[in-house]
């Protein structure tokens, strides 16, 4: 097959999206890779929400100084990364679309792009979350595929954006059902310090990326309540059990292999997020201060969005509709504490009373 060359990075979004951090880190990788590979066009267009920083437009700063000073300061972007303020302008000529925005906004983004992109474009989602469909669970990649009619893959892994931008070694997982597309996307993404593995269970890869944020909120509660590493280890183990059980119930593409959970998208991403991610950080402050998630988001995240509580709410609706809440006590406890006023001090009870087998 002949693959067209243009690459498009979802670098920004609606005003308060966190994607400018993650998108810029990924743009740094892709920009460097395509600059030395004749298979790809040299220019990477990155959609960035236009805002003023120190009296200058953010797109102007990125395109002149080659740095996203708002969300990824101190890291130079390759000069072939072009910041574009209009979504359609960034996407219309692209042949590979990389989506990096909070999952709550994907519907609006796709509606804006619909009918204005190439019909044979390839899509890859880095979005960590799930949606509600008529049968319960709906994956974000499925939402994009249905709205835009393009083939979709996903990328998930233990990839904290600042460490990726610092070029510290890490691994990631691409879930792609088409081996030829998977090989192309690996070539686009892999560097000596960003090791890519491709697996076919794209639905499991995506579910891991969404659910680990719920578990990380629980880990943050433990930190805020003053519990130690033993307790956090229990949260990680029991959370992983719930992730595997959830995937086995809701993944309909075929049998779920335990091996996928041993990839970077699974246990590695879970551990990293429970020790270093924003979900853990904000949840710790939630337990210590008593402030709401919304307040802490504004105070601590510089315009980035938190995914764990929102995903817990969506998973709660799905599990409730299937009468399965009692089978997922950790997921349910995170929802109850974040949204229903349940005392955070009682989170430990969901661990003490967790079923031995799932």
């Amino acid at each position: 097959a002949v693959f067209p060359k243009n690459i498009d990075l979802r670098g920004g979004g609606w005003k308060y999206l966190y994607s400018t951090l993650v998108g810029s880190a990924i743009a740094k990788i892709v920009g460097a890779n395509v600059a030395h590979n004749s298979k790809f066009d040299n220019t990477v267009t990155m959609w960035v929400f236009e805002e003023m920083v120190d009296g200058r437009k953010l797109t102007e700063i990125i395109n002149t100084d080659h740095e996203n000073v708002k969300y990824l300061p101190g890291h130079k972007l390759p000069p072939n990364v072009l910041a574009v303020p209009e979504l359609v302008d960034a996407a219309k000529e692209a042949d590979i679309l990389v989506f990096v925005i909070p999952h709550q906004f994907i519907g609006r983004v796709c509606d804006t792009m619909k009918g204005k992109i190439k019909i044979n474009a390839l899509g890859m989602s880095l979005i960590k979350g799930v949606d509600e469909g008529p049968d319960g669970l709906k994956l974000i990649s499925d939402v994009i595929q249905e709205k835009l009619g393009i083939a979709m893959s996903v990328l998930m892994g233990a990839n904290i954006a600042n460490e990726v931008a610092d070029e510290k070694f890490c691994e990631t997982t691409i879930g792609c059902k088409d081996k030829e597309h998977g090989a192309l996307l690996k070539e686009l993404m892999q560097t000596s310090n960003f090791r890519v593995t491709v697996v076919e269970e794209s639905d499991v890869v995506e579910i891991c990326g969404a659910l680990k944020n719920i578990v990380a909120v629980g880990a943050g509660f433990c930190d805020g309540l003053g519990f130690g590493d033993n307790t956090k280890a229990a949260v990680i183990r029991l959370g992983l059990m719930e992730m595997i059980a959830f995937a086995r119930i809701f993944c309909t593409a075929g049998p779920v292999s335990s091996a996928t959970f041993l990839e970077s998208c699974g246990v590695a991403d879970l551990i990293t997020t429970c020790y270093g991610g924003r979900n853990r950080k904000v949840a710790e402050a939630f337990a210590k201060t008593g402030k709401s998630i919304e307040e802490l988001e504004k105070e601590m995240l510089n315009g980035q969005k938190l995914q764990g509580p929102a995903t817990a709410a969506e998973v709660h609706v799905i599990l409730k509709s299937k009468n399965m809440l009692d089978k997922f006590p950790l997921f349910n406890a995170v929802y109850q504490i974040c949204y229903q006023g349940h005392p955070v001090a009682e989170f430990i009870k969901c661990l003490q009373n967790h079923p031995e087998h799932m």
Side-chain angles (χ1 to χ4, degrees), residues 142-201:
D142 289 339
V143 173
I144 299 171
Q145 187 165 356
E146 289 176 11
K147 283 183 173 288
L148 299 182
I150 61 175
M152 288 297 302
S153 301
V154 298
L155 182 149
M156 307 282 161
N159 314 135
I160 293 177
N162 286 316
E163 294 186 14
V164 172
D166 285 336
E167 299 182 29
K168 296 177 180 178
F169 178 79
C170 64
E171 298 179 308
T172 198
T173 309
I174 290 177
C176 183
K177 294 182 174 66
D178 185 302
K179 290 184 178 180
E180 194 170 16
H181 292 170
L184 179 75
L185 295 172
K186 178 174 181 174
E187 191 172 353
L188 177 68
M189 300 302 303
Q190 181 159 271
T191 72
S192 58
N193 285 318
F194 195 69
R195 182 175 182 269
V196 177
T197 300
V198 181
V199 301
E200 292 186 18
E201 286 187 318

Short mmCIF file of all heavy atoms in Angstrom, two decimals, residues 142-201:
data_model
loop_
_atom_site.label_atom_id
_atom_site.label_comp_id
_atom_site.label_asym_id
_atom_site.label_seq_id
_atom_site.Cartn_x
_atom_site.Cartn_y
_atom_site.Cartn_z
N ASP A 142 -13.85 4.14 18.97
CA ASP A 142 -15.07 3.79 18.23
C ASP A 142 -15.91 5.02 17.93
O ASP A 142 -16.52 5.13 16.86
CB ASP A 142 -15.90 2.78 19.01
CG ASP A 142 -15.26 1.39 19.06
OD1 ASP A 142 -14.41 1.11 18.19
OD2 ASP A 142 -15.58 0.61 19.98
N VAL A 143 -15.95 5.95 18.89
CA VAL A 143 -16.68 7.21 18.66
C VAL A 143 -16.08 7.94 17.47
O VAL A 143 -16.79 8.41 16.57
CB VAL A 143 -16.62 8.10 19.93
CG1 VAL A 143 -17.23 9.48 19.64
CG2 VAL A 143 -17.34 7.44 21.10
N ILE A 144 -14.75 8.05 17.45
CA ILE A 144 -14.07 8.75 16.35
C ILE A 144 -14.31 8.04 15.03
O ILE A 144 -14.64 8.66 14.01
CB ILE A 144 -12.56 8.84 16.63
CG1 ILE A 144 -12.29 9.63 17.91
CG2 ILE A 144 -11.84 9.51 15.45
CD1 ILE A 144 -10.85 9.60 18.38
N GLN A 145 -14.18 6.71 15.05
CA GLN A 145 -14.35 5.95 13.81
C GLN A 145 -15.76 6.08 13.26
O GLN A 145 -15.95 6.25 12.05
CB GLN A 145 -14.02 4.48 14.07
CG GLN A 145 -14.02 3.62 12.82
CD GLN A 145 -13.35 2.27 13.05
OE1 GLN A 145 -12.82 2.01 14.11
NE2 GLN A 145 -13.36 1.42 12.05
N GLU A 146 -16.75 6.04 14.13
CA GLU A 146 -18.13 6.16 13.67
C GLU A 146 -18.44 7.55 13.14
O GLU A 146 -19.15 7.71 12.14
CB GLU A 146 -19.08 5.80 14.81
CG GLU A 146 -19.09 4.32 15.15
CD GLU A 146 -19.97 3.99 16.34
OE1 GLU A 146 -20.74 4.88 16.76
OE2 GLU A 146 -19.89 2.85 16.85
N LYS A 147 -17.90 8.58 13.79
CA LYS A 147 -18.20 9.95 13.37
C LYS A 147 -17.45 10.35 12.11
O LYS A 147 -17.98 11.08 11.27
CB LYS A 147 -17.89 10.92 14.51
CG LYS A 147 -18.93 10.94 15.62
CD LYS A 147 -18.60 11.98 16.68
CE LYS A 147 -19.71 12.13 17.70
NZ LYS A 147 -20.92 12.81 17.16
N LEU A 148 -16.20 9.90 11.98
CA LEU A 148 -15.36 10.35 10.87
C LEU A 148 -15.18 9.31 9.78
O LEU A 148 -14.73 9.63 8.68
CB LEU A 148 -13.99 10.78 11.39
CG LEU A 148 -13.99 11.94 12.40
CD1 LEU A 148 -12.55 12.28 12.80
CD2 LEU A 148 -14.69 13.17 11.83
N GLY A 149 -15.49 8.03 10.08
CA GLY A 149 -15.37 6.99 9.07
C GLY A 149 -13.95 6.61 8.72
O GLY A 149 -13.69 6.14 7.61
N ILE A 150 -13.02 6.82 9.65
CA ILE A 150 -11.61 6.49 9.37
C ILE A 150 -11.16 5.31 10.22
O ILE A 150 -11.73 5.05 11.28
CB ILE A 150 -10.69 7.70 9.63
CG1 ILE A 150 -10.76 8.15 11.10
CG2 ILE A 150 -11.05 8.85 8.70
CD1 ILE A 150 -9.79 9.27 11.46
N ALA A 151 -10.14 4.59 9.76
CA ALA A 151 -9.57 3.48 10.52
C ALA A 151 -8.84 4.03 11.74
O ALA A 151 -8.08 4.99 11.64
CB ALA A 151 -8.62 2.68 9.64
N MET A 152 -9.05 3.39 12.91
CA MET A 152 -8.50 3.89 14.15
C MET A 152 -7.59 2.88 14.84
O MET A 152 -7.84 1.68 14.82
CB MET A 152 -9.62 4.27 15.13
CG MET A 152 -10.38 5.53 14.74
SD MET A 152 -9.35 7.01 14.75
CE MET A 152 -8.75 7.03 16.45
N SER A 153 -6.54 3.40 15.46
CA SER A 153 -5.67 2.65 16.36
C SER A 153 -5.55 3.46 17.65
O SER A 153 -6.05 4.59 17.72
CB SER A 153 -4.29 2.44 15.73
OG SER A 153 -4.40 1.73 14.51
N VAL A 154 -4.88 2.89 18.66
CA VAL A 154 -4.70 3.62 19.92
C VAL A 154 -3.25 3.48 20.39
O VAL A 154 -2.56 2.52 20.03
CB VAL A 154 -5.65 3.10 21.02
CG1 VAL A 154 -7.10 3.32 20.63
CG2 VAL A 154 -5.40 1.62 21.34
N LEU A 155 -2.80 4.45 21.18
CA LEU A 155 -1.49 4.40 21.81
C LEU A 155 -1.66 4.71 23.29
O LEU A 155 -2.19 5.76 23.65
CB LEU A 155 -0.52 5.38 21.16
CG LEU A 155 0.92 5.40 21.69
CD1 LEU A 155 1.91 5.77 20.57
CD2 LEU A 155 1.10 6.36 22.86
N MET A 156 -1.23 3.79 24.16
CA MET A 156 -1.33 3.96 25.60
C MET A 156 -0.06 3.40 26.24
O MET A 156 0.51 2.43 25.75
CB MET A 156 -2.55 3.20 26.17
CG MET A 156 -3.88 3.51 25.52
SD MET A 156 -4.56 5.07 26.09
CE MET A 156 -5.75 5.40 24.77
N GLY A 157 0.36 3.99 27.35
CA GLY A 157 1.52 3.44 28.04
C GLY A 157 1.96 4.30 29.19
O GLY A 157 1.36 5.33 29.50
N ALA A 158 3.02 3.86 29.84
CA ALA A 158 3.60 4.59 30.98
C ALA A 158 4.43 5.74 30.44
O ALA A 158 5.65 5.67 30.34
CB ALA A 158 4.45 3.64 31.82
N ASN A 159 3.73 6.80 30.05
CA ASN A 159 4.35 7.90 29.31
C ASN A 159 3.98 9.25 29.91
O ASN A 159 3.20 10.00 29.34
CB ASN A 159 3.92 7.88 27.83
CG ASN A 159 3.97 6.51 27.19
OD1 ASN A 159 3.05 6.13 26.50
ND2 ASN A 159 5.03 5.76 27.44
N ILE A 160 4.51 9.58 31.08
CA ILE A 160 4.29 10.91 31.64
C ILE A 160 4.93 11.93 30.71
O ILE A 160 6.11 11.82 30.35
CB ILE A 160 4.87 11.00 33.07
CG1 ILE A 160 4.05 10.09 34.00
CG2 ILE A 160 4.86 12.43 33.58
CD1 ILE A 160 4.56 10.03 35.42
N ALA A 161 4.15 12.93 30.31
CA ALA A 161 4.53 13.80 29.19
C ALA A 161 5.86 14.51 29.40
O ALA A 161 6.68 14.59 28.47
CB ALA A 161 3.42 14.82 28.93
N ASN A 162 6.10 15.03 30.60
CA ASN A 162 7.34 15.76 30.82
C ASN A 162 8.56 14.85 30.68
O ASN A 162 9.61 15.28 30.20
CB ASN A 162 7.33 16.42 32.20
CG ASN A 162 6.42 17.64 32.24
OD1 ASN A 162 6.44 18.46 31.33
ND2 ASN A 162 5.62 17.76 33.27
N GLU A 163 8.41 13.60 31.11
CA GLU A 163 9.54 12.67 30.99
C GLU A 163 9.75 12.26 29.54
O GLU A 163 10.89 12.05 29.10
CB GLU A 163 9.29 11.44 31.88
CG GLU A 163 9.29 11.76 33.37
CD GLU A 163 9.18 10.52 34.24
OE1 GLU A 163 9.37 9.41 33.72
OE2 GLU A 163 8.92 10.68 35.44
N VAL A 164 8.67 12.14 28.78
CA VAL A 164 8.79 11.87 27.35
C VAL A 164 9.52 13.02 26.67
O VAL A 164 10.44 12.82 25.87
CB VAL A 164 7.41 11.65 26.71
CG1 VAL A 164 7.53 11.56 25.18
CG2 VAL A 164 6.76 10.38 27.26
N ALA A 165 9.13 14.24 27.01
CA ALA A 165 9.77 15.42 26.43
C ALA A 165 11.24 15.52 26.83
O ALA A 165 12.07 16.01 26.06
CB ALA A 165 9.03 16.68 26.85
N ASP A 166 11.57 15.05 28.04
CA ASP A 166 12.97 15.03 28.50
C ASP A 166 13.78 13.93 27.85
O ASP A 166 14.98 13.80 28.10
CB ASP A 166 13.02 14.85 30.03
CG ASP A 166 12.64 16.11 30.78
OD1 ASP A 166 12.79 17.20 30.21
OD2 ASP A 166 12.20 15.99 31.94
N GLU A 167 13.11 13.10 27.03
CA GLU A 167 13.73 11.99 26.33
C GLU A 167 14.31 10.94 27.29
O GLU A 167 15.32 10.29 27.01
CB GLU A 167 14.81 12.49 25.35
CG GLU A 167 14.23 13.40 24.28
CD GLU A 167 15.26 13.87 23.26
OE1 GLU A 167 16.23 13.11 23.02
OE2 GLU A 167 15.09 14.97 22.72
N LYS A 168 13.64 10.78 28.42
CA LYS A 168 13.97 9.69 29.33
C LYS A 168 13.35 8.40 28.77
O LYS A 168 12.24 8.42 28.25
CB LYS A 168 13.44 9.97 30.73
CG LYS A 168 14.10 11.19 31.38
CD LYS A 168 13.51 11.48 32.75
CE LYS A 168 14.18 12.70 33.38
NZ LYS A 168 13.58 13.04 34.70
N PHE A 169 14.06 7.30 28.91
CA PHE A 169 13.59 6.05 28.30
C PHE A 169 12.24 5.63 28.88
O PHE A 169 12.02 5.66 30.10
CB PHE A 169 14.60 4.92 28.54
CG PHE A 169 14.13 3.61 27.98
CD1 PHE A 169 14.22 3.34 26.63
CD2 PHE A 169 13.55 2.65 28.81
CE1 PHE A 169 13.76 2.13 26.11
CE2 PHE A 169 13.09 1.44 28.30
CZ PHE A 169 13.20 1.18 26.95
N CYS A 170 11.34 5.23 28.01
CA CYS A 170 10.05 4.68 28.43
C CYS A 170 9.53 3.78 27.32
O CYS A 170 10.08 3.73 26.21
CB CYS A 170 9.04 5.78 28.75
SG CYS A 170 8.59 6.80 27.33
N GLU A 171 8.48 3.06 27.63
CA GLU A 171 7.84 2.17 26.67
C GLU A 171 6.39 2.62 26.46
O GLU A 171 5.81 3.29 27.31
CB GLU A 171 7.85 0.73 27.17
CG GLU A 171 9.23 0.15 27.37
CD GLU A 171 9.17 -1.27 27.90
OE1 GLU A 171 8.49 -1.50 28.91
OE2 GLU A 171 9.83 -2.14 27.29
N THR A 172 5.83 2.22 25.35
CA THR A 172 4.43 2.48 25.08
C THR A 172 3.86 1.34 24.24
O THR A 172 4.61 0.52 23.70
CB THR A 172 4.25 3.84 24.36
OG1 THR A 172 2.88 4.27 24.48
CG2 THR A 172 4.62 3.75 22.89
N THR A 173 2.54 1.29 24.15
CA THR A 173 1.87 0.22 23.42
C THR A 173 0.92 0.81 22.39
O THR A 173 0.11 1.69 22.70
CB THR A 173 1.04 -0.67 24.37
OG1 THR A 173 1.86 -1.09 25.46
CG2 THR A 173 0.49 -1.89 23.65
N ILE A 174 1.04 0.35 21.15
CA ILE A 174 0.06 0.69 20.12
C ILE A 174 -0.86 -0.50 19.93
O ILE A 174 -0.40 -1.64 19.74
CB ILE A 174 0.74 1.03 18.78
CG1 ILE A 174 1.48 2.38 18.89
CG2 ILE A 174 -0.28 1.09 17.64
CD1 ILE A 174 2.25 2.76 17.63
N GLY A 175 -2.15 -0.27 20.03
CA GLY A 175 -3.15 -1.28 19.75
C GLY A 175 -3.69 -1.06 18.34
O GLY A 175 -4.27 -0.01 18.06
N CYS A 176 -3.47 -2.02 17.46
CA CYS A 176 -3.85 -1.85 16.05
C CYS A 176 -4.22 -3.21 15.46
O CYS A 176 -3.40 -4.14 15.49
CB CYS A 176 -2.69 -1.22 15.27
SG CYS A 176 -3.08 -0.88 13.54
N LYS A 177 -5.40 -3.31 14.92
CA LYS A 177 -5.86 -4.58 14.36
C LYS A 177 -5.25 -4.87 13.00
O LYS A 177 -5.20 -6.02 12.57
CB LYS A 177 -7.39 -4.57 14.25
CG LYS A 177 -8.12 -4.52 15.59
CD LYS A 177 -9.62 -4.56 15.39
CE LYS A 177 -10.37 -4.65 16.72
NZ LYS A 177 -10.20 -3.45 17.54
N ASP A 178 -4.78 -3.84 12.31
CA ASP A 178 -4.17 -4.00 10.98
C ASP A 178 -2.65 -3.98 11.12
O ASP A 178 -2.07 -2.97 11.53
CB ASP A 178 -4.64 -2.86 10.06
CG ASP A 178 -4.17 -3.02 8.62
OD1 ASP A 178 -2.94 -3.11 8.41
OD2 ASP A 178 -5.01 -3.04 7.72
N LYS A 179 -1.98 -5.09 10.80
CA LYS A 179 -0.53 -5.20 11.02
C LYS A 179 0.25 -4.19 10.19
O LYS A 179 1.26 -3.65 10.64
CB LYS A 179 -0.07 -6.62 10.70
CG LYS A 179 -0.55 -7.66 11.70
CD LYS A 179 0.02 -9.04 11.40
CE LYS A 179 -0.44 -10.06 12.43
NZ LYS A 179 0.11 -11.42 12.17
N GLU A 180 -0.20 -3.91 8.98
CA GLU A 180 0.49 -2.95 8.12
C GLU A 180 0.39 -1.54 8.68
O GLU A 180 1.39 -0.81 8.74
CB GLU A 180 -0.09 -3.01 6.70
CG GLU A 180 0.79 -2.32 5.67
CD GLU A 180 0.32 -2.60 4.26
OE1 GLU A 180 -0.83 -3.08 4.08
OE2 GLU A 180 1.10 -2.34 3.33
N HIS A 181 -0.79 -1.16 9.14
CA HIS A 181 -0.96 0.14 9.78
C HIS A 181 -0.14 0.23 11.06
O HIS A 181 0.47 1.25 11.36
CB HIS A 181 -2.43 0.41 10.08
CG HIS A 181 -3.28 0.60 8.87
ND1 HIS A 181 -4.66 0.66 8.91
CD2 HIS A 181 -2.94 0.74 7.56
CE1 HIS A 181 -5.13 0.83 7.69
NE2 HIS A 181 -4.11 0.88 6.86
N GLY A 182 -0.15 -0.87 11.83
CA GLY A 182 0.61 -0.88 13.07
C GLY A 182 2.09 -0.66 12.85
O GLY A 182 2.76 0.08 13.59
N ALA A 183 2.64 -1.27 11.80
CA ALA A 183 4.06 -1.10 11.49
C ALA A 183 4.37 0.34 11.09
O ALA A 183 5.41 0.90 11.47
CB ALA A 183 4.46 -2.06 10.37
N LEU A 184 3.47 0.95 10.33
CA LEU A 184 3.66 2.35 9.93
C LEU A 184 3.63 3.28 11.14
O LEU A 184 4.48 4.17 11.28
CB LEU A 184 2.57 2.76 8.94
CG LEU A 184 2.65 4.21 8.46
CD1 LEU A 184 3.79 4.38 7.46
CD2 LEU A 184 1.34 4.68 7.87
N LEU A 185 2.67 3.06 12.03
CA LEU A 185 2.55 3.93 13.20
C LEU A 185 3.73 3.74 14.15
O LEU A 185 4.20 4.69 14.78
CB LEU A 185 1.23 3.65 13.92
CG LEU A 185 -0.03 4.01 13.12
CD1 LEU A 185 -1.28 3.52 13.84
CD2 LEU A 185 -0.11 5.52 12.89
N LYS A 186 4.23 2.53 14.24
CA LYS A 186 5.43 2.29 15.05
C LYS A 186 6.62 3.06 14.48
O LYS A 186 7.39 3.68 15.22
CB LYS A 186 5.74 0.80 15.12
CG LYS A 186 7.00 0.47 15.91
CD LYS A 186 7.21 -1.03 16.08
CE LYS A 186 8.47 -1.32 16.89
NZ LYS A 186 8.62 -2.77 17.18
N GLU A 187 6.75 3.05 13.17
CA GLU A 187 7.83 3.78 12.52
C GLU A 187 7.71 5.28 12.77
O GLU A 187 8.71 5.99 12.92
CB GLU A 187 7.82 3.49 11.02
CG GLU A 187 9.04 3.97 10.27
CD GLU A 187 9.05 3.47 8.83
OE1 GLU A 187 8.19 2.66 8.46
OE2 GLU A 187 9.93 3.92 8.08
N LEU A 188 6.48 5.76 12.81
CA LEU A 188 6.23 7.18 13.07
C LEU A 188 6.60 7.57 14.49
O LEU A 188 7.12 8.67 14.73
CB LEU A 188 4.74 7.47 12.83
CG LEU A 188 4.26 8.90 13.13
CD1 LEU A 188 4.86 9.89 12.15
CD2 LEU A 188 2.73 8.95 13.08
N MET A 189 6.37 6.67 15.45
CA MET A 189 6.47 7.03 16.86
C MET A 189 7.76 6.61 17.55
O MET A 189 8.22 7.27 18.48
CB MET A 189 5.30 6.40 17.64
CG MET A 189 3.92 6.83 17.17
SD MET A 189 3.67 8.61 17.24
CE MET A 189 3.99 8.94 18.96
N GLN A 190 8.38 5.51 17.14
CA GLN A 190 9.47 4.95 17.94
C GLN A 190 10.76 5.73 17.82
O GLN A 190 11.16 6.15 16.74
CB GLN A 190 9.71 3.48 17.57
CG GLN A 190 10.82 2.82 18.38
CD GLN A 190 10.73 1.32 18.38
OE1 GLN A 190 10.07 0.72 19.21
NE2 GLN A 190 11.39 0.69 17.42
N THR A 191 11.44 5.90 18.97
CA THR A 191 12.79 6.45 19.02
C THR A 191 13.62 5.54 19.92
O THR A 191 13.11 4.58 20.51
CB THR A 191 12.81 7.88 19.59
OG1 THR A 191 12.55 7.83 21.00
CG2 THR A 191 11.76 8.76 18.91
N SER A 192 14.89 5.85 20.07
CA SER A 192 15.74 5.03 20.93
C SER A 192 15.29 5.09 22.38
O SER A 192 15.51 4.15 23.15
CB SER A 192 17.20 5.49 20.83
OG SER A 192 17.32 6.86 21.18
N ASN A 193 14.62 6.18 22.78
CA ASN A 193 14.16 6.34 24.16
C ASN A 193 12.64 6.26 24.30
O ASN A 193 12.10 6.50 25.39
CB ASN A 193 14.64 7.67 24.75
CG ASN A 193 16.11 7.63 25.10
OD1 ASN A 193 16.60 6.64 25.64
ND2 ASN A 193 16.83 8.70 24.78
N PHE A 194 11.95 5.92 23.21
CA PHE A 194 10.49 5.77 23.24
C PHE A 194 10.18 4.46 22.52
O PHE A 194 9.96 4.42 21.32
CB PHE A 194 9.82 6.96 22.55
CG PHE A 194 8.33 7.09 22.82
CD1 PHE A 194 7.86 7.44 24.07
CD2 PHE A 194 7.41 6.87 21.80
CE1 PHE A 194 6.50 7.57 24.31
CE2 PHE A 194 6.04 7.01 22.04
CZ PHE A 194 5.59 7.36 23.30
N ARG A 195 10.22 3.38 23.28
CA ARG A 195 10.13 2.03 22.71
C ARG A 195 8.67 1.64 22.51
O ARG A 195 7.87 1.69 23.45
CB ARG A 195 10.82 1.03 23.64
CG ARG A 195 10.82 -0.41 23.15
CD ARG A 195 11.63 -1.29 24.08
NE ARG A 195 11.69 -2.67 23.61
CZ ARG A 195 10.81 -3.61 23.96
NH1 ARG A 195 9.82 -3.32 24.79
NH2 ARG A 195 10.93 -4.83 23.51
N VAL A 196 8.33 1.24 21.30
CA VAL A 196 6.94 0.95 20.92
C VAL A 196 6.76 -0.54 20.69
O VAL A 196 7.53 -1.18 19.96
CB VAL A 196 6.54 1.72 19.65
CG1 VAL A 196 5.12 1.35 19.22
CG2 VAL A 196 6.67 3.22 19.86
N THR A 197 5.71 -1.11 21.31
CA THR A 197 5.27 -2.46 21.02
C THR A 197 3.87 -2.39 20.42
O THR A 197 3.03 -1.62 20.89
CB THR A 197 5.23 -3.31 22.31
OG1 THR A 197 6.54 -3.35 22.89
CG2 THR A 197 4.79 -4.74 22.01
N VAL A 198 3.63 -3.19 19.39
CA VAL A 198 2.32 -3.21 18.74
C VAL A 198 1.60 -4.51 19.07
O VAL A 198 2.18 -5.60 18.92
CB VAL A 198 2.45 -3.06 17.21
CG1 VAL A 198 1.07 -3.05 16.55
CG2 VAL A 198 3.22 -1.79 16.85
N VAL A 199 0.36 -4.41 19.53
CA VAL A 199 -0.48 -5.59 19.79
C VAL A 199 -1.81 -5.42 19.06
O VAL A 199 -2.19 -4.30 18.71
CB VAL A 199 -0.73 -5.79 21.31
CG1 VAL A 199 0.59 -5.96 22.06
CG2 VAL A 199 -1.53 -4.62 21.89
N GLU A 200 -2.49 -6.52 18.84
CA GLU A 200 -3.74 -6.46 18.08
C GLU A 200 -4.95 -6.15 18.96
O GLU A 200 -5.99 -5.72 18.46
CB GLU A 200 -3.97 -7.77 17.33
CG GLU A 200 -2.96 -8.00 16.21
CD GLU A 200 -3.28 -9.24 15.39
OE1 GLU A 200 -4.43 -9.71 15.45
OE2 GLU A 200 -2.38 -9.73 14.69
N GLU A 201 -4.86 -6.37 20.28
CA GLU A 201 -6.01 -6.15 21.17
C GLU A 201 -6.18 -4.65 21.48
O GLU A 201 -6.00 -4.20 22.60
CB GLU A 201 -5.82 -6.93 22.47
CG GLU A 201 -6.05 -8.43 22.32
CD GLU A 201 -6.03 -9.13 23.67
OE1 GLU A 201 -5.17 -8.82 24.51
OE2 GLU A 201 -6.90 -9.99 23.90
#
